[in-house]
Amino acid sequence: MSGLRSDDDTWDIATSVGSTAVMVAAARAYETDQPDPLIRDPYARILVQNAGTGIWEGLLDGAVTDKLAEVDADMAALFTSMRNYQAVRTHFFDAFFADATAAGIRQIVILASGLDSRAYRLDWPAGTRLFEIDQPLVLQYKADILAQHGVTASAERHEVPVDLRADWPAALQTAGFERDAPTAWLAEGLLMYLPADAQDRLFTQIGELSAPGSRIAAETMRTQADHRREQIRERFAAVAAKLGMPEMPDVAELTYDDPDRADLALWLDAHGWRARAVDSQDEMRRLDRWIDVALRSDTDSFSSFVTAERI
């Protein structure tokens, strides 16, 4: 476990794990501004602009990549690949929710929702109830910013301000969650911030709350060799110094690289779900968003997008 994490740590939107939500929203904002975007998030930019994290706000500006390319073309390619990945990931899970609601599911739970704006930007069927679980300060920041801009949710949205390491099932039910109703669950950009045993506990709890016909979608953890990660950190630090940019946080310092972590699809298959996994690299290629990056090792793993239905 990283020295930056502890079992009872907490954060707001500009610190620790919270700041990674800004990175993801910045990538969504950038994608939205492209001529033929995979996804559209009209609220991502306003959520990022005043977050105060430094480097991630720079992802909003395509000129940053141009400046990087002048100094280090490999780093520019890596930035582009990062943005492409986030666009593909968002696209995949947007489609998951579209399929779930088309099947009649009207109860949605987004775990560690961060700056996720699906409650506001997706076209939810009438009667959809959507629960967002995250740290209190993260939920407060998002609600305040969107309210200041007059943005309202397109589903019946419920905030559940609780740490997922606490008794979140009780907090969720107190907020109005109905355990007898089929539910579509999302764990996007979450599992890497949990130890292996906490991942198992999370999905056990989800299973206990899931009526037959419920669905779940999750992103598994990506891994990268320590020496490769250090090489990237040093390369970016050199580029940042030349361009006067803030140094990029090492996201891996916030994650748990646990060798005992279960294969999620196999775990779900063994615990009352019918699961399938899509390799994110394959999905990037399918959507024509894959680029070769010299700084990427052949041994680096890519995440899988796992979906499952409760039997």
Side-chain angles (χ1 to χ4, degrees), residues 78-89:
L78 183 62
F79 254 58
T80 300
S81 179
M82 288 168 52
R83 287 194 298 240
N84 286 354
Y85 174 80
Q86 296 298 338
V88 168
R89 185 180 82 170

Side-chain angles (χ1 to χ4, degrees), residues 107-160:
Q107 184 164 255
I108 310 297
V109 179
I110 301 179
L111 302 157
S113 57
L115 296 183
D116 187 301
S117 63
R118 291 185 174 94
Y120 302 85
R121 66 179 178 83
L122 295 187
D123 186 16
W124 298 101
T128 301
R129 303 166 68 242
L130 189 150
F131 298 84
E132 292 191 18
I133 303 177
D134 211 323
Q135 296 272 347
L137 292 176
V138 173
L139 289 174
Q140 180 182 338
Y141 171 84
K142 178 166 63 178
D144 288 349
I145 292 294
L146 293 178
Q148 290 169 19
H149 286 80
V151 180
T152 57
S154 54
E156 180 186 316
R157 178 176 175 267
H158 300 265
E159 291 187 356
V160 187

Side-chain angles (χ1 to χ4, degrees), residues 228-271:
R228 181 67 65 175
R229 181 163 55 86
E230 180 62 19
Q231 178 190 13
I232 292 173
R233 190 196 65 78
E234 291 176 354
R235 287 274 290 270
F236 186 81
V239 171
K242 289 182 180 179
L243 297 178
M245 298 169 58
E247 203 168 329
M248 183 167 61
D250 188 349
V251 175
E253 284 292 308
L254 302 173
T255 65
Y256 292 81
D257 184 12
D258 196 327
D260 297 324
R261 188 180 299 273
D263 180 299
L264 181 59
L266 295 178
W267 190 98
L268 289 169
D269 276 337
H271 290 82

Side-chain angles (χ1 to χ4, degrees), residues 169-242:
L172 179 62
Q173 291 175 92
T174 298
F177 176 86
E178 298 176 3
R179 63 187 305 162
D180 293 333
T183 304
W185 303 83
L186 177 62
E188 178 186 28
L190 166 61
L191 302 187
M192 62 282 290
Y193 304 112
L194 298 177
D197 60 341
Q199 174 178 308
D200 293 348
R201 183 166 60 253
L202 176 71
F203 287 104
T204 297
Q205 292 168 316
I206 290 172
E208 292 169 349
L209 294 170
S210 294
S214 293
R215 300 185 182 191
I216 193 164
E219 172 196 23
T220 65
M221 183 173 178
R222 306 169 72 180
T223 59
Q224 188 175 60
D226 289 343
H227 73 279
R228 181 67 65 175
R229 181 163 55 86
E230 180 62 19
Q231 178 190 13
I232 292 173
R233 190 196 65 78
E234 291 176 354
R235 287 274 290 270
F236 186 81
V239 171
K242 289 182 180 179

Side-chain angles (χ1 to χ4, degrees), residues 18-121:
S19 67
T20 66
V22 181
M23 171 188 69
V24 175
R28 293 200 309 270
Y30 183 88
E31 179 66 23
T32 298
D33 291 342
Q34 300 312 298
D36 187 22
L38 277 180
I39 58 99
R40 288 181 171 84
D41 186 343
Y43 311 118
R45 181 172 290 274
I46 61 175
L47 287 168
V48 171
Q49 283 175 331
N50 298 308
T53 63
I55 181 61
W56 300 132
E57 286 91 326
L59 286 175
L60 294 173
D61 185 1
V64 170
T65 306
D66 295 337
K67 292 177 182 177
L68 281 175
E70 293 173 2
V71 179
D72 189 329
D74 292 338
M75 284 303 306
L78 183 62
F79 254 58
T80 300
S81 179
M82 288 168 52
R83 287 194 298 240
N84 286 354
Y85 174 80
Q86 296 298 338
V88 168
R89 185 180 82 170
T90 301
H91 180 272
F92 184 91
F93 292 126
D94 282 359
F96 163 77
F97 280 130
D99 290 344
T101 55
I105 293 176
R106 295 294 181 267
Q107 184 164 255
I108 310 297
V109 179
I110 301 179
L111 302 157
S113 57
L115 296 183
D116 187 301
S117 63
R118 291 185 174 94
Y120 302 85
R121 66 179 178 83

